[in-house]
């Protein structure tokens, strides 16, 4: 019976630990997800591809034979806009060759940007106002072409662009390089509408309205990518379904956002770590609830045995 009591005490202790983990799971998962890419970046920068201890001679030969422009390990962005490009054209094309040799129709966007095409190659990724797009034509000096998929047209405002409009441009970054912004995928989650803007000394503030399914990932002082720009959330209002952000004096002159007025659209990408944390918790919490139920059954059984003993 003493052994049984010890077993119950162990399970009760386990229940306390489980409850603690559950209370802190969001923080724990978020921290782990943040540390993982940084750990990868550290090891890749500390032990480059040519290090013989980590690569066979054949692997090192293959890596050296790959063009430098193709060594981008992960098509990610930092949210630090490199230049403001100009839209050359946006048109529907009916002569796009598909994988099986058939001809299909689609939307092609042509953009002028001197910095963006520096080191560019066919198939490389370029972030256009927050949207990761694939370069399909580099034949004209000073500009590049990209295709806009139906999903891109549904999720972003790129389909409303016209010749002469300005866009934020950023080339893909390499893992292990400096990141002065945050991890931006270029996968826009939705569109936000500017509902107010004002000046506070040298800072320019914006208030943006978004759908509820995006707002739950937006937290005060958290990361957010707006038109491809890495920014910090100032305040979140769940009643009005909006949030605010501000631009410092330097940033105002380097991106297109200050040129936008009330009622205009912004491409929004929430911090991916928040979505990963939610996904991880979705698998963990049901298991914790099951374990808590088992512990409760053990607690009830322990009470009955104690009552019978008394």
């Amino acid at each position: 019976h003493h052994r049984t009591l010890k077993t119950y005490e162990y399970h009760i202790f386990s229940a306390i630990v489980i409850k603690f983990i559950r209370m802190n799971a969001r923080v724990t998962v978020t921290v782990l997800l943040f540390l993982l890419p940084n750990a990868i970046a550290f090891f890749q920068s500390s032990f480059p591809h040519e290090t013989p201890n980590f690569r066979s001679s054949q692997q090192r030969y293959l890596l050296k034979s790959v063009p430098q422009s193709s060594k981008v390990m992960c098509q990610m962005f930092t949210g630090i806009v490199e230049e403001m490009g100009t839209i050359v054209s946006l048109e529907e094309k009916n002569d796009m060759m598909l994988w099986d040799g058939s001809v299909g129709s689609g939307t092609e966007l042509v953009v002028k940007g001197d910095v963006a095409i520096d080191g560019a190659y066919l198939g490389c990724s370029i972030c256009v106002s927050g949207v990761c797009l694939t370069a399909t034509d580099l034949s004209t000096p000073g500009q590049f072409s990209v295709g806009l998929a139906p999903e891109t047209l549904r999720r972003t405002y790129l389909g409303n662009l016209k010749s002469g409009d300005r866009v934020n441009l950023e080339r893909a970054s390499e893992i292990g390089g400096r990141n002065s912004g945050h991890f931006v995928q270029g996968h826009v989650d939705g569109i936000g509408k500017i509902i107010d803007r004002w000046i506070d000394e040298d800072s320019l503030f914006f208030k943006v309205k978004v759908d509820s399914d995006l707002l739950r990932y937006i937290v005060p002082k958290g990361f957010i990518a707006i038109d491809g720009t890495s920014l910090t959330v100032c305040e979140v209002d769940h009643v009005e379904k909006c949030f605010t952000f501000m631009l410092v004096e330097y940033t105002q002159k380097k991106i297109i956002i200050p040129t936008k007025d009330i009622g205009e659209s912004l491409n929004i990408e929430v911090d991916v770590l928040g979505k990963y944390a939610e996904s991880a918790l979705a698998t963990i919490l049901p298991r914790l609830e099951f374990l808590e139920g088992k512990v409760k059954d053990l607690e009830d059984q322990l009470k009955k045995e104690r009552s019978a003993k008394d």
Side-chain angles (χ1 to χ4, degrees):
H1 185 70
H2 176 72
R3 186 182 302 167
T4 303
L5 285 175
K6 285 295 183 183
T7 301
Y8 286 139
E9 290 171 1
Y10 168 76
H11 285 297
I12 291 172
F13 173 76
S14 299
I16 295 173
V17 174
I18 290 170
K19 288 181 180 179
F20 175 80
I21 293 174
R22 186 174 185 181
M23 291 170 59
N24 296 273
R26 186 175 295 275
V27 176
T28 303
V29 173
T30 301
V31 170
L32 289 175
L33 288 170
F34 176 77
L35 291 177
L36 180 60
N38 283 277
I40 294 173
F42 170 78
F43 282 109
Q44 287 193 335
S45 61
S46 300
F47 307 103
H49 301 312
E50 289 75 17
T51 303
N53 294 334
F54 289 85
R55 295 289 193 278
S56 68
S57 59
Q58 182 180 17
Q59 287 174 318
R60 293 197 304 276
Y61 171 78
L62 290 173
L63 283 167
K64 289 179 179 179
S65 65
V66 176
Q68 187 64 34
S69 60
S70 299
K71 289 187 181 179
V72 176
M73 301 303 296
C74 184
Q75 299 292 358
M76 295 285 285
F77 304 93
T78 66
I80 304 301
V81 175
E82 295 185 287
E83 70 171 324
M84 290 183 282
T86 304
I87 298 300
V88 176
S89 64
L90 175 67
E91 60 181 9
E92 295 290 324
K93 302 194 72 175
N94 299 315
D95 58 351
M96 291 187 168
M97 187 69 67
L98 305 183
W99 65 275
D100 60 355
S102 62
V103 177
S105 60
T107 304
E108 183 182 68
L109 180 68
V110 181
V111 185
K112 181 179 180 181
D114 295 330
V115 176
I117 64 170
D118 183 19
Y121 53 93
L122 291 179
C124 74
S125 295
I126 300 175
C127 190
V128 179
S129 285
V131 185
C132 177
L133 299 171
T134 301
T136 58
D137 186 3
L138 299 169
S139 59
T140 303
Q143 65 185 46
F144 62 92
S145 300
V146 293
L148 301 183
E151 176 69 4
T152 301
L153 296 172
R154 286 190 293 265
R155 292 274 186 170
T156 75
Y157 64 74
L158 294 191
N160 297 324
L161 294 174
K162 58 185 184 299
S163 179
D165 286 346
R166 305 300 300 276
V167 288
N168 291 331
L169 299 178
E170 181 191 354
R171 293 168 293 181
S173 63
E174 291 189 36
I175 287 181
R178 296 182 63 180
N179 187 341
S180 297
H182 72 281
F183 291 102
V184 177
Q185 294 179 296
H187 302 164
V188 172
D189 295 293
I191 296 174
K193 293 288 185 181
I194 301 172
I195 58 176
D196 196 6
R197 54 175 285 167
W198 65 93
I199 295 175
D200 183 4
E201 295 186 0
D202 65 342
S203 298
L204 178 59
F205 277 79
F206 286 83
K207 180 184 285 188
V208 183
K209 190 176 184 64
V210 295
D211 293 336
S212 298
D213 60 343
L214 290 186
L215 194 63
R216 74 173 186 263
Y217 299 113
I218 302 174
V219 296
K221 308 309 175 188
F223 288 125
I224 192 167
I226 301 178
D227 276 356
T229 309
S230 176
L231 296 169
T232 303
V233 177
C234 293
E235 297 178 342
V236 179
D237 188 331
H238 290 276
V239 177
E240 290 189 41
K241 298 180 181 179
C242 64
F243 69 93
T244 62
F245 68 90
M246 67 89 180
L247 304 175
V248 298
E249 173 265 340
Y250 179 84
T251 305
Q252 294 169 24
K253 298 175 289 186
K254 302 296 182 179
I255 61 176
I256 66 170
I257 297 175
T259 65
K260 296 192 172 185
D261 295 322
I262 294 174
E264 293 195 63
S265 299
L266 298 167
N267 287 329
I268 307 293
E269 179 187 331
V270 299
D271 188 5
V272 68
L273 296 183
K275 292 189 286 186
Y276 278 131
E278 181 183 65
S279 177
L281 287 171
T283 60
I284 294 173
L285 292 181
R287 298 180 182 183
L288 292 178
E289 291 172 355
F290 174 78
L291 290 174
E292 287 179 339
K294 288 293 185 181
V295 170
K296 186 178 184 304
D297 292 340
L298 290 170
E299 289 175 335
D300 293 341
Q301 187 176 348
L302 179 60
K303 288 179 182 178
K304 289 179 181 179
E305 291 192 10
R306 284 178 175 173
S307 298
K309 182 181 178 181
D310 295 338

